[in-house]
Amino acid sequence: MLKRLITGRHHAGQFHRHKSSFAAALAAASRLVTPKIMLSNPVSLVSNEMNTLAKNIMALIGSGHPTLNRVTSYYFEAEGKKVRPLLVLLLSRALAEIPLERRDHLKLDSEDVPEDPVYSKPPHMLLLEQPVRSFSPLHVLHGIKPLNPLTKGPEPLPQATFDHERGILPKQRRLAEIVEMIHTASLLHDDVIDYSDTRRGRPSGNVAFTNKMAVLGGDFLLGRATVSISRLRNPEVVELMSNSIANLVEGEFMQLKNTAVDNDLTTIQHGTKEIPPVSGKLDNKIHDYHVPTDQVQNVSHDQLIETAFEYYLHKTYLKTAALISKSSRAAAILSGADKSVVDQCYDFGKNLGVCFQLVDDMLDFTVAAKDLGKPAGADLELGIATAPVLYAWKEDPSLGPLIQRNFSQSGDVERTAAAVAKFDGVKRTKELAVQYRDKALQNLRNALPDSDARSALEFLTNSILTRRK
């Protein structure tokens, strides 16, 4: 099936010469979860699940306040890649190829909260069940006015859209929607933090609505996402997805204050702002990657580079790969897969996510802003040292002071960009991305039987290295 889809793309001729193979891979992979009746329509490049993703999300998060609705729907209106929910849906379909008798589908739901009345149904039905509509009475959730639209509950998913024999389970579809809600909330927040003015080819949320409304809109999305997570009724999935939100924040802090290269823990904002001293009442642990100031002189250049790379990869995992890896693990858990498959799915998401961010960091040096859909060269302007810069620093120790002062002086950005070009920083970053790509492919082959869905995941994984946005 996948071969037919890939072959069919070439009939579009001139159109495809302007599309990256990553965009083509998204289109081909998305068609795998499209109803057969839609496959005859060449314009239909996404599945039924993907086509209704934004609509279902708005049913989950809709507010009675028109401006809040506008802010939260703003990024869903634009044409985004929606890679994260697509991965969850394709992985869910690939997991469905594992025979039911090899899956622990009876235990997963019935033992989550055994005393809860929602578990009064026969256990054999629980794998295919919908997420619950609510746990608390509606008058408690809705506040003073009963059934207040400001706090309305989620709409149930149409049962008819699911293939109960081999298809994507209701909870897995809801998981895909939750993942996109969390990711979109992070975009609203990131654009405020990074002073971005464009996103997906149009004004960013902070420019369109103000910083305050963009932050509050992101907060609202996260609040709705956590409610939806709880209604999946699986403690490990709740823990995983809730923790992925915390990971995003941890990763952002690692980027805002890089303790691997900035040893002054008394200041922030590139050393321009002092923070309150530690009171001693609480235990404020120092990050593992911190090099104490009194030891810096005794640390070799190679050791500094190694610490900086470990810090960078950990930050990359938290900011980008954590959501992908934990949602991949959650999809496997919801399918009833055994522990070895669950672990491989987690590792797949981790390796794919790191690969994805490495390519993103390469594109910041190689792609123009109009093609990227957001400002190019933004990382250096924001004082962020990514893998291409770290590879250049490894060869040119004189870049150390520039990195430590976050490229804040005149000429720092230009000098660093020249060093990245001179020492093949982008090429070496791509070689590292290839290593993570290969590990992700192996994870898929270790975990999943051969199927169209697995082939689509492999195709997507391979194509990440050639994407242009």
Side-chain angles (χ1 to χ4, degrees):
M1 182 178 179
L2 184 63
K3 290 181 180 178
R4 292 201 304 274
L5 294 173
I6 298 169
T7 303
R9 292 199 319 276
H10 295 295
H11 295 299
Q14 185 74 22
F15 171 73
H16 286 289
R17 285 200 284 271
H18 299 285
K19 290 174 69 70
S20 71
S21 62
F22 182 69
L26 284 175
S30 298
R31 288 168 65 96
L32 284 172
V33 283
T34 304
K36 290 181 179 180
I37 192 171
M38 297 175 68
L39 289 177
S40 59
N41 179 4
V43 178
S44 178
L45 299 178
V46 291
S47 70
N48 182 52
E49 288 84 0
M50 293 295 289
N51 276 330
T52 58
L53 184 78
K55 180 181 178 181
N56 286 347
I57 289 173
M58 292 315 298
L60 286 175
I61 65 175
S63 163
H65 196 290
T67 308
L68 179 55
N69 267 338
R70 189 74 184 90
V71 176
T72 54
S73 66
Y74 185 64
Y75 283 166
F76 294 117
E77 295 171 351
E79 285 296 323
K81 296 184 287 292
K82 297 182 175 64
V83 175
R84 291 156 187 83
L86 179 59
L87 287 170
V88 170
L89 292 169
L90 283 173
L91 187 60
S92 298
R93 180 159 178 175
L95 287 159
E97 297 295 330
I98 300 173
L100 284 175
E101 58 269 20
R102 288 173 48 197
R103 290 188 268 161
D104 196 3
H105 59 287
L106 299 183
K107 176 182 177 183
L108 280 169
D109 281 12
S110 60
E111 291 190 0
D112 286 349
V113 191
E115 70 276 8
D116 194 281
V118 299
Y119 294 99
S120 59
K121 296 182 180 180
H124 66 274
M125 295 295 292
L126 293 171
L127 184 62
L128 302 176
E129 271 195 355
Q130 302 272 357
V132 295
R133 186 173 178 86
S134 69
F135 289 107
S136 302
L138 292 181
H139 74 274
V140 172
L141 294 177
H142 294 162
I144 292 175
K145 184 179 179 182
L147 304 181
N148 189 321
L150 284 173
T151 51
K152 64 182 180 181
E155 298 295 327
L157 293 171
Q159 195 75 14
T161 62
F162 296 101
D163 174 2
H164 284 181
E165 293 296 322
R166 312 301 296 169
I168 298 164
L169 299 173
K171 291 184 182 181
Q172 291 170 325
R173 180 170 179 178
R174 180 52 47 83
L175 175 65
E177 295 160 2
I178 290 167
V179 168
E180 188 66 3
M181 290 166 66
I182 294 172
H183 173 62
T184 303
S186 76
L187 296 184
L188 283 165
H189 288 163
D190 282 353
D191 286 344
V192 173
I193 294 167
D194 297 339
Y195 309 104
S196 298
D197 53 13
T198 59
R199 169 71 65 177
R200 294 172 178 170
R202 64 177 186 166
S204 55
N206 49 305
V207 171
F209 299 100
T210 74
N211 282 347
K212 189 168 186 177
M213 284 190 173
V215 169
L216 292 172
D219 291 346
F220 187 78
L221 278 173
L222 292 178
R224 286 291 197 240
T226 54
V227 171
S228 296
I229 292 167
S230 71
R231 289 169 174 166
L232 294 177
R233 302 184 317 198
N234 186 294
E236 185 174 0
V237 171
V238 171
E239 180 180 63
L240 285 167
M241 299 310 299
S242 300
N243 199 53
S244 72
I245 298 174
N247 289 155
L248 288 169
V249 178
E250 291 175 303
E252 194 64 49
F253 261 83
M254 288 183 74
Q255 184 164 286
L256 286 170
K257 179 68 174 180
N258 188 334
T259 59
V261 297
D262 183 355
N263 299 290
D264 185 1
L265 299 183
T266 65
T267 64
I268 55 175
Q269 294 183 351
H270 314 329
T272 62
K273 180 179 177 60
E274 290 191 5
I275 60 176
V278 177
S279 66
K281 294 180 180 179
L282 301 173
D283 182 13
N284 286 277
K285 294 183 179 180
I286 294 176
H287 202 284
D288 291 342
Y289 301 118
H290 171 66
V291 179
T293 304
D294 58 357
Q295 297 180 20
V296 171
Q297 300 302 321
N298 299 322
V299 176
S300 69
H301 177 65
D302 287 344
Q303 288 175 307
L304 277 176
I305 295 293
E306 182 179 354
T307 300
F309 254 108
E310 288 178 354
Y311 186 98
Y312 164 78
L313 289 173
H314 191 178
K315 182 262 295 183
T316 295
Y317 169 76
L318 292 173
K319 274 181 62 71
T320 303
L323 182 57
I324 297 174
S325 64
K326 287 173 180 172
S327 60
S328 297
R329 184 179 180 90
I333 291 168
L334 292 173
S335 77
D338 64 34
K339 185 179 184 304
S340 63
V341 172
V342 169
D343 289 344
Q344 289 288 340
C345 288
Y346 169 77
D347 287 339
F348 161 72
K350 178 178 66 176
N351 291 321
L352 181 79
V354 173
C355 176
F356 192 94
Q357 186 59 50
L358 287 168
V359 172
D360 211 51
D361 293 343
M362 289 162 45
L363 294 179
D364 200 55
F365 285 90
T366 60
V367 176
K370 64 182 180 64
D371 298 320
L372 201 56
K374 57 184 178 181
D379 289 338
L380 287 179
E381 295 290 346
L382 292 169
I384 301 169
T386 55
V389 174
L390 296 180
Y391 277 120
W393 183 25
K394 186 174 183 178
E395 303 301 326
D396 183 0
S398 69
L399 291 179
L402 281 68
I403 294 170
Q404 289 168 343
R405 63 177 178 248
N406 306 106
F407 318 114
S408 57
Q409 295 185 11
S410 177
D412 283 358
V413 169
E414 294 76 11
R415 180 181 164 189
T416 303
V420 168
K422 179 180 179 180
F423 297 109
D424 292 325
V426 170
K427 178 183 176 182
R428 296 172 74 177
T429 301
K430 184 173 183 178
E431 292 170 352
L432 183 61
V434 167
Q435 295 177 31
Y436 280 95
R437 187 273 314 269
D438 291 345
K439 288 190 284 188
L441 289 172
Q442 190 58 53
N443 294 139
L444 288 175
R445 292 158 190 167
N446 290 344
L448 303 168
D450 187 24
S451 67
D452 285 342
R454 196 189 81 176
S455 296
L457 288 167
E458 292 172 350
F459 189 38
L460 277 172
T461 302
N462 276 311
S463 65
I464 284 175
L465 292 172
T466 61
R467 69 187 183 93
R468 300 288 293 169
K469 59 172 64 177

